[in-house]
Amino acid sequence: MIKQRIIVFLLFASISICKAQLSPKEITILKTDLVKAVESVKLTDSLHNKLSKLPNKTGLITAYIGTLEALKAKHSWNPYNKIKYVKVSLKTMQNAINMDKENLEIRFMRFSIEHYTPSFLGFSKDLDVDRKEIIKHYQNRNFGIADEALIKNVAKFMIDSKRCTAEEIKILKKFI
């Protein structure tokens, strides 16, 4: 009887965990929607609500939520709300990194948020750490689940950001 209860519990627990994991197809759609959300308040809010409701979020899902919080700051007209959303976003991004320290995509998302945040606000404190971590991924060819398009786009963004050294640019150019 106890074994049956344990098996039933594990079955339901694994179903709950699986629900938080998006399929590769869903992740691809989500990435496309995130790009569109840059120009759409409605899509930003919709995606944020959808992802926030997922149970047992992975580091990557948490990072997508953090990115959407940064987009809420972009879309807000109120300076107080802009700052509030950036603070929340960066806290969420730190949580995502704590969950998955070796994920190139998560590091890149935080780097890009801090890159576009005005430096006088003091929120861009992790730019150097993330840049070095991203470069380390390229040096070691450690891309995890990142696809070829993401690897190329991150390298291009990093070069275009003008935040990399000449040596780092040489490493990144190999992937463009």
Side-chain angles (χ1 to χ4, degrees):
M1 188 69 164
I2 293 176
K3 285 183 182 180
Q4 287 177 330
R5 287 184 183 166
I6 291 172
I7 291 171
V8 169
F9 171 76
L10 290 174
L11 178 64
F12 282 109
S14 66
I15 290 170
S16 294
I17 291 169
C18 290
K19 285 184 179 178
Q21 313 304 322
L22 298 178
S23 71
K25 183 178 179 181
E26 289 171 315
I27 292 286
T28 301
I29 293 167
L30 177 59
K31 286 179 183 182
T32 302
D33 286 345
L34 276 171
V35 172
K36 293 176 188 172
V38 171
E39 301 302 326
S40 171
V41 175
K42 188 175 180 180
L43 185 55
T44 297
D45 290 339
S46 170
L47 290 172
H48 186 269
N49 290 337
K50 177 183 174 185
L51 294 180
S52 294
K53 290 177 184 174
L54 289 174
N56 308 312
K57 295 168 196 65
T58 63
L60 190 58
I61 297 299
T62 302
Y64 289 143
I65 292 168
T67 299
L68 289 162
E69 290 163 348
L71 289 176
K72 285 176 171 265
K74 177 193 180 294
H75 295 311
S76 178
W77 60 268
N78 182 319
Y80 172 79
N81 286 337
K82 283 183 176 290
I83 291 171
K84 180 181 80 169
Y85 284 130
V86 170
K87 283 181 180 179
V88 169
S89 169
L90 292 175
K91 184 177 178 183
T92 302
M93 293 307 293
Q94 185 59 54
N95 290 338
I97 287 171
N98 291 344
M99 294 168 77
D100 192 354
K101 290 180 183 356
E102 295 297 317
N103 190 305
L104 170 70
E105 190 171 0
I106 294 171
R107 291 286 182 162
F108 171 68
M109 282 187 271
R110 183 169 75 177
F111 179 89
S112 63
I113 290 166
E114 290 189 4
H115 171 74
Y116 285 117
T117 301
S119 61
F120 69 86
L121 293 174
F123 295 133
S124 301
K125 65 184 183 338
D126 297 305
L127 279 169
D128 286 338
V129 171
D130 289 339
R131 186 193 82 242
K132 289 174 185 174
E133 191 66 30
I134 290 166
I135 297 300
K136 186 176 86 176
H137 283 279
Y138 280 87
Q139 285 176 317
N140 298 332
R141 295 181 180 269
N142 176 22
F143 303 117
I145 61 169
D147 62 19
E148 195 173 317
L150 179 67
I151 294 165
K152 182 178 178 178
N153 289 334
V154 169
K156 184 169 177 4
F157 182 92
M158 295 300 293
I159 292 168
D160 292 345
S161 76
K162 307 278 192 243
R163 295 185 185 272
C164 295
T165 66
E167 187 62 34
E168 291 169 339
I169 290 171
K170 284 181 190 176
I171 293 166
L172 294 167
K173 281 188 174 180
K174 295 175 188 174
F175 297 90
I176 296 180

